[in-house]
Structures are given as structure tokens and as C-alpha cells.
Amino acid sequence: MKRVYTFKAKYLRAFLWMIAFWFMNHSSLFAQKKAFIHQNIRAKEAFVVDGLAQDWQLDTLNFNKQSKLAYAIGNTDSTLFFLLKSTDLSDLGRLLRGGIRIGINAKGEKKVKQELIFPVLQGRIMRPAQPGGRSREQTQKAINEELTKLNMLQIGGFDQLLDGKIARKNEFGIQAAARLDEAGFLVCEYALPMKLLQIDAAKNGNFAVQIRINGLNLNTNIQNNTVNVPAGLNPIGRSFPQRLPGMEGFEPSEFWIISRLAPTTR
């Protein structure tokens, strides 16, 4: 009787060790299943990139709380389309001051390979209406006029193209547009050819997207006494950065999306 009990106990321990070993080796698979994968919207034909977002269903957008942005991603067989929409009117200055960057990694790794930055109004940013000054409608109209005048895109990391600025109307198929909607929220649309991103639609794989609001980072230490000091920093020696009135809330923020291509028509 003792031998039978010992024999069963040995097999039970071996079985439990096998289960534990299996879970240790497959825990990463369970983690991957729980990870959120954004499913692209299937576009039968190319979306019109004009900042009006007429090709998108705005009631189905995803939302990132940290960056206060709603977003959607779509694709045809050859092009990725991105929609970003602000959800906080008070965040407009941060969105426009340093620009918005779309970063892509075709392998799904959280490391930016190619990037597109648009829009950047820099010093031309319109300030909110003041008593006796522009109305909100006038301010929105003025900002939209400024946005339509932006004729350059900032790109980087494309093997076939030089890093730097390219014309907004270009022969590469890279598109971007931005405008304020009637409520005053910023709407941005982008188009990027998958060939330039080294994404093969036939493989229907995952890719990674980083959305970054560059903002205005006032928390950078001054390296030496001879550098040109951005507004908001104390130019004397290595003093602690000083904030200027009205510059609060301009800190950068970013988030990553793992997205899956919508099936191709092939």
C-alpha cells in the first residue's frame, strides 16, 4: 500500500511540474492575447485628406486620455490613413505650438522608424479671444487660414527620401491636412504610402504607431552659457528653467498603438 501511494505521489509531482513548466513557457502568449490590437478601417478607395474628416465615422473613434486625442486608422491596399481629433479646447495651443508627430514601425516594435510632423504653427499661433478683441468665431477662422497656408511637411527615416522638409503637395503620396471644426476642435488627417513605410498589405500584419504631441518642453536644463536659450528659460548660467505666464500645460505627451491592417482585396 505504501509503494502504491509513493508511486502515485511521484507521478502527481511530475505532472504538476509539467503544468508549471508549460505555463512559464507560454505566459508571453497569454500576455499577447490580452494586449489591445487596433483594427484598421477598410477603405475601398483613398480617403480625401482635407481636415474635414468626411470619410470617417467620428462616433467610433478611439480615445487616449493622456494626450487628450481621439484617433482612427484606415487603409487601402497601398496607403495608410490617420485621423486625429482633439477632445479638449484648452489644449489647442499645445497641439499647434510644437506640432504633432506620427511615428511608424512596420515590424510592430515600439521604436520609431519613419516620422511625419504636421502641423506646426510655431510663433504664428493665435491666442484665445480677449475681451474687446476677436470673437471665438473670428479666432477659429484666423487659425484655419493659418493652417491652410502651411505648405511644408517635416519627414524623417524614409529610406527613399532625405530627412527634412518637403512640399505639402508632393509626388511621394505623403499627405497631411489640419483645420478646426465648427466647435473649435483640431482635426488632422494624414496619408502615408505603405511602400515608403515598408509595409506589405498582402501579409496583413501588425505595425506600431506612435502619436506624439511635441508641445513646448520647458524642463530641459541649459547645457552651457553660450547656447541660444528658448523662451521661458533663464539665460544666466545653468539656472533652473523658469516658466513664463501662460506657458503652463505645453508639456509633450505621446502614446503607442499596435494596429492591424484591414484585409486586402486581393
Side-chain angles (χ1 to χ4, degrees):
M1 194 72 178
K2 187 175 181 181
R3 286 183 179 179
V4 173
Y5 175 79
T6 304
F7 180 80
K8 289 183 177 180
K10 288 182 178 180
Y11 270 87
L12 179 60
R13 285 197 298 268
F15 179 73
L16 292 176
W17 272 110
M18 289 175 62
I19 294 176
F21 180 80
W22 188 89
F23 270 99
M24 285 189 293
N25 283 273
H26 291 79
S27 58
S28 60
L29 294 177
F30 286 100
Q32 289 178 359
K33 289 181 180 179
K34 294 180 180 179
F36 173 72
I37 303 294
H38 175 275
Q39 181 64 53
N40 275 19
I41 298 170
R42 175 69 201 172
K44 295 182 180 179
E45 55 187 35
F47 286 175
V48 177
V49 179
D50 55 9
L52 297 175
Q54 294 179 338
D55 297 311
W56 304 86
Q57 294 182 348
L58 299 183
D59 58 342
T60 60
L61 298 183
N62 296 281
F63 174 69
N64 180 264
K65 183 177 181 180
Q66 179 184 1
S67 294
K68 304 177 185 178
L69 286 178
Y71 66 91
I73 307 174
N75 68 269
T76 60
D77 290 346
S78 61
T79 306
L80 289 179
F81 298 92
F82 300 88
L83 172 68
L84 300 179
K85 186 177 185 296
S86 66
T87 61
D88 187 342
L89 292 177
S90 65
D91 204 33
L92 183 60
R94 184 173 73 108
L95 293 170
L96 296 178
R97 179 62 65 91
I100 301 175
R101 180 179 80 171
I102 304 286
I104 307 291
N105 186 298
K107 297 180 180 179
E109 301 172 354
K110 291 185 177 182
K111 181 179 180 181
V112 173
K113 176 63 170 61
Q114 298 94 0
E115 64 178 12
L116 167 62
I117 300 175
F118 182 88
V120 183
L121 282 184
Q122 297 180 348
R124 298 190 296 179
I125 177 67
M126 300 292 181
R127 295 195 176 277
Q130 300 295 328
R134 290 189 180 95
S135 66
R136 190 184 74 171
E137 291 77 13
Q138 290 173 325
T139 301
Q140 290 178 200
K141 181 180 179 181
I143 292 177
N144 277 335
E145 289 176 354
E146 290 292 323
L147 289 170
T148 59
K149 293 177 184 177
L150 296 177
N151 55 13
M152 302 298 290
L153 308 175
Q154 182 78 27
I155 64 169
F158 294 91
D159 293 341
Q160 306 93 321
L161 305 175
L162 294 176
D163 294 352
K165 293 183 178 180
I166 63 171
R168 189 169 166 187
K169 293 182 179 180
N170 58 79
E171 66 272 28
F172 311 119
I174 301 175
Q175 302 178 60
R179 62 177 290 113
L180 303 185
D181 64 12
E182 293 182 357
F185 294 105
L186 180 66
V187 178
C188 301
E189 291 183 281
Y190 308 86
L192 287 165
M194 286 191 278
K195 184 177 180 180
L196 291 179
L197 300 171
Q198 300 177 355
I199 295 177
D200 186 352
K203 295 181 179 179
N204 196 33
N206 296 341
F207 60 97
V209 181
Q210 184 198 64
I211 309 297
R212 176 179 171 82
I213 303 172
N214 292 327
L216 183 61
N217 192 348
L218 301 180
N219 296 317
T220 303
N221 291 327
I222 302 171
Q223 299 301 316
N224 55 62
N225 298 340
T226 61
V227 296
N228 294 324
V229 181
L233 299 185
N234 189 335
I236 303 175
R238 299 169 182 263
S239 301
F240 187 79
Q242 302 295 316
R243 290 187 182 276
L244 295 178
M247 300 304 291
E248 297 82 2
F250 279 86
E251 295 83 1
S253 65
E254 63 187 47
F255 63 98
W256 282 93
I257 306 163
I258 303 300
S259 192
R260 185 187 302 279
L261 288 171
T264 68
T265 57
R266 298 172 188 174

